[in-house]
Amino acid sequence: MAAPKYDYSFARRPAWIASHVFVLLCVLAFVRLGLWQLDRLHGRRDANALIEARMDAAPEPFGQVVPAGSSADGARDATFRTVTVTGTYRTDQQVLVRNRTNEGGPGFWVVTPLTTGDGTTVAVNRGWVPLPMGEAPDVAPYAPPSGTVTVTRLVRDS
C-alpha cells in the first residue's frame, strides 16, 4: 500500500500567506498593547501612592509649600498637598467655571481669589453650584464669608 500523498500547494497562495501575516501582526500588536497597559498600570499605581501619601500628610502653610514668586511648574510639584492659607476673599474677582458636572447634574465651579496679608493671591475652588434649567446661575446664596478666613485645601494643578 502506498503512503498517502499530502498536497501543501495551498500554502503558497497569496491569500493564505497574507492571512497568516495579518494574524502574526495582530498577535504582535496585541502583545505590545498588553505591555503598554501594564506600563500604564504601574504609572497609575505610582501616582495613586503619591496622592495618598500627600493627602495623608498634615496641612502645611501655603507659603512653605509654594514659595512666593513660584512659577506654575513650581506649584505643580506641590500638587495634592494639603495647605492652609489665611486671607480675605476677593468676591469682585470671582469667576464661574462652566460645564462642570456633579453626580450627573450640570453646574459651575465657583473660584474665588483669596488675598493673603503679604499680597499673595491664591485661587480657591469653593465648590460646585447647580445650574437651574433655563436660568443664569445664582451664586448669592453661596457667598464666601467676609473678613479674614483660614482655608485648608488641596493644591491642584490648574
Side-chain angles (χ1 to χ4, degrees), residues 35 41 115:
L35 294 173
L41 172 67
T115 302

Side-chain angles (χ1 to χ4, degrees), residues 1-5:
M1 182 161 23
K5 189 173 179 182

Side-chain angles (χ1 to χ4, degrees), residues 13-88:
R13 287 190 215 145
W16 194 89
I17 293 171
S19 68
H20 281 71
V21 168
F22 175 73
V23 168
L24 179 65
L25 290 175
C26 285
V27 167
L28 293 174
F30 293 150
V31 167
R32 177 64 189 113
L33 288 171
L35 294 173
W36 171 72
Q37 283 290 317
L38 287 174
D39 287 343
R40 286 192 36 96
L41 172 67
H42 296 307
R44 176 53 47 204
R45 283 183 177 166
D46 292 344
N48 286 346
L50 176 68
I51 291 168
E52 281 185 30
R54 287 184 172 182
M55 288 178 74
D56 290 343
E60 299 178 57
F62 180 77
Q64 290 179 3
V65 175
V66 182
S70 292
S71 65
D73 291 332
R76 189 168 294 128
D77 293 338
T79 300
F80 293 110
R81 292 186 60 186
T82 305
V83 297
T84 58
V85 61
T86 301
T88 306

Side-chain angles (χ1 to χ4, degrees), residues 64-129:
Q64 290 179 3
V65 175
V66 182
S70 292
S71 65
D73 291 332
R76 189 168 294 128
D77 293 338
T79 300
F80 293 110
R81 292 186 60 186
T82 305
V83 297
T84 58
V85 61
T86 301
T88 306
Y89 281 116
R90 300 286 312 264
T91 55
D92 58 320
Q93 296 177 357
Q94 179 170 281
V95 295
L96 299 177
V97 180
R98 297 176 179 261
N99 298 326
R100 300 294 150 188
T101 61
N102 186 22
E103 297 180 4
F108 296 85
W109 281 343
V110 180
V111 179
T112 310
L114 183 78
T115 302
T116 63
D118 65 0
T120 303
T121 301
V122 178
V124 176
N125 182 343
R126 295 192 308 109
W128 181 83
V129 175

